[in-house]
Amino acid sequence: MMRFAVVVFPGSNCDQDCRDVLERVMKQQVRMVWHRTRALGRVDAVILPGGFSYGDYLRTGAIARFSPIMKAVQRFARRGGLVFGICNGFQILCESGLLPGALVRNRSLKFVCRQVWLKVRNMKTPFTCACPARPLKIPIAHGEGNYYVEKKTLDELKKKHQIVFQYCDAGGRLSFEANPNGSVEHIAGVCNENFNVLGMMPHPDRSAEAVLGSRDGFFLWKSMVVFLMRKRTSCSA
Amino acid sequence: MKKNKGGIWKADVYVTLKPSVQDPQGDTVLRALKQMHYVGAQRVRMGKFIELWWDGKMSKKAVEKKTHEVCDRLLANPNIEAYHFILRKMTSNEMKVAK
């Protein structure tokens, strides 16, 4: 069994969804970590959940990145630990510099809450290694998910295969219409150079069971568990 | 010099989106202006205005340095935003009105 930490900020609202998926669906151990805490303890992966940390004041994620726990998250990430930011968690990772770019207001200016299709661009990351080779149906719910990055960094992201998810249609085609928020290159999720930190706007925590309308988010959680199990086995062998 | 010792330093901080970043809010306001028949309206960019007060006993140089620091660390995101500020001592009348 792997140990996951779910960080809780004031205004997080998907922390219990993450806990539920990890504990009940994935049968893993979960520790909820309040943002004022300074240490993560012994964990195998850290989840920064969705929500509206600090009311999204100033910029999304801008204040949360200075929470005491974030220093521990940065240390954990530097040592190669898995850090997964979903929605507001992605915004916090960008603000804290663990991921490149920033998330700005949706092109439509509207809060968009619906199922979208995602093309998995890199299936070798710890977060996607158990994903099937077809588009994934996962919901989004955000007003500021429009990913922006300067051209030079965008070229780097492409070259280093750091673009993990792109918005597409059910057939896997990228288009203006299939992009719900105006993100550059239809980007829905990116990882860092070492592939141990992933941020994405869509919610695999809200799509890990068929009863919720899609089970495709399950593959991301499964990927993480499979990756960590392999790592543990190879370390103890 | 003596009157500069007390009071409050006030930094008026302007945070704006870099020219390369889309501004859907500004675009929407521009469209509205055109619908209102302001034919000369050309461009609207939305930003943030932040008032920042500092202890008047600090030197101007120190306040400038601290203001840059908080803008770089918190008030603006260098990936998407630029900022500038105007720093001055508040008059006693301004302080009365502001409080």
Side-chain angles (χ1 to χ4, degrees):
Chain A
M1 207 189 276
M2 296 298 154
R3 292 172 303 253
F4 287 77
V6 176
V7 179
V8 185
F9 296 95
S12 293
N13 64 11
C14 299
D15 44 329
Q16 293 299 332
D17 301 58
C18 291
R19 172 194 216 151
D20 182 59
V21 169
L22 285 163
E23 269 181 2
R24 189 176 51 79
V25 183
M26 306 307 299
K27 314 283 182 220
Q28 304 299 310
Q29 218 175 322
V30 180
R31 175 191 295 165
M32 305 303 277
V33 181
W34 181 235
H35 75 119
R36 303 292 308 169
T37 316
R38 288 180 189 280
L40 286 163
R42 280 193 61 200
V43 292
D44 299 296
V46 177
I47 313 296
L48 301 187
F52 299 85
S53 59
Y54 294 89
D56 276 353
Y57 294 163
L58 192 64
R59 290 180 311 279
T60 55
I63 300 178
R65 72 157 281 209
F66 290 105
S67 278
I69 193 65
M70 286 309 292
K71 277 198 177 147
V73 172
Q74 283 179 326
R75 276 197 303 273
F76 183 74
R78 269 201 301 276
R79 287 203 311 265
L82 294 191
V83 178
F84 184 18
I86 302 164
C87 198
N88 188 222
F90 183 16
Q91 294 162 338
I92 296 168
L93 289 174
C94 287
E95 280 286 340
S96 64
L98 281 168
L99 289 175
L103 293 140
V104 297
R105 190 68 67 92
N106 290 351
R107 182 177 54 200
S108 64
L109 294 177
K110 291 191 176 108
F111 187 95
V112 184
C113 181
R114 64 174 168 90
Q115 298 280 0
V116 294
W117 291 95
L118 300 178
K119 193 177 187 123
V120 187
R121 294 311 304 243
N122 185 340
M123 297 182 60
K124 288 181 182 161
T125 76
F127 309 91
T128 51
C129 56
C131 284
R134 61 164 174 81
L136 303 180
K137 188 177 162 192
I138 296 183
I140 53 164
H142 60 248
E144 281 158 312
N146 183 347
Y147 185 74
Y148 174 81
V149 70
E150 283 181 345
K151 173 89 177 49
K152 199 177 142 211
T153 318
L154 181 64
D155 292 342
E156 289 272 297
L157 290 179
K158 284 188 202 165
K159 205 169 80 187
K160 294 177 179 164
H161 308 288
Q162 287 172 251
I163 299 172
V164 181
F165 298 108
Q166 281 176 306
Y167 299 107
C168 64
D169 63 19
R173 286 173 295 269
L174 307 174
S175 70
F176 182 85
E177 292 72 30
N179 181 338
N181 51 32
S183 291
V184 289
E185 290 285 322
H186 314 288
I187 289 172
V190 294
C191 63
N192 64 343
E193 270 183 60
N194 297 326
F195 304 110
N196 65 311
V197 179
L198 172 75
M200 67 191 292
M201 287 314 294
H203 282 273
D205 48 325
R206 297 185 189 177
S207 51
E209 292 171 283
V211 69
L212 295 173
S214 170
R215 196 175 160 269
D216 285 353
F218 172 83
F219 298 113
L220 278 84
W221 303 106
K222 188 181 163 192
S223 297
M224 290 176 78
V225 173
V226 167
F227 175 85
L228 290 168
M229 298 270 270
R230 274 190 209 142
K231 197 169 137 192
R232 187 175 283 182
T233 317
S234 65
C235 286
S236 57
Chain B
M1 280 309 282
K2 204 177 173 188
K3 71 172 183 194
N4 259 0
K5 280 272 158 104
I8 299 276
W9 285 109
K10 183 168 168 263
D12 288 344
V13 183
Y14 299 85
V15 180
T16 50
L17 283 173
K18 282 184 181 173
S20 56
V21 180
Q22 295 177 340
D23 180 13
Q25 283 191 93
D27 294 345
T28 304
V29 173
L30 180 62
R31 272 200 299 278
L33 290 178
K34 286 191 169 158
Q35 278 166 20
M36 291 157 75
H37 307 295
Y38 288 98
V39 285
Q42 300 234 314
R43 183 170 158 91
V44 178
R45 298 288 284 177
M46 303 282 280
K48 293 188 187 96
F49 170 70
I50 300 157
E51 271 185 16
L52 192 56
W53 291 18
W54 294 100
D55 188 340
K57 290 189 201 82
M58 293 163 75
S59 72
K60 187 171 187 188
K61 214 172 165 189
V63 174
E64 271 174 355
K65 194 170 166 239
K66 289 283 172 199
T67 306
H68 274 298
E69 195 178 306
V70 297
C71 286
D72 289 333
R73 293 187 69 202
L74 178 65
L75 299 182
N77 178 338
N79 283 316
I80 48 169
E81 294 168 326
Y83 71 85
H84 69 275
F85 59 83
I86 299 161
L87 181 65
R88 63 184 176 85
K89 271 276 174 79
M90 284 197 346
T91 62
S92 52
N93 199 32
E94 272 182 311
M95 280 164 63
K96 227 183 279 169
V97 174
K99 277 177 176 169

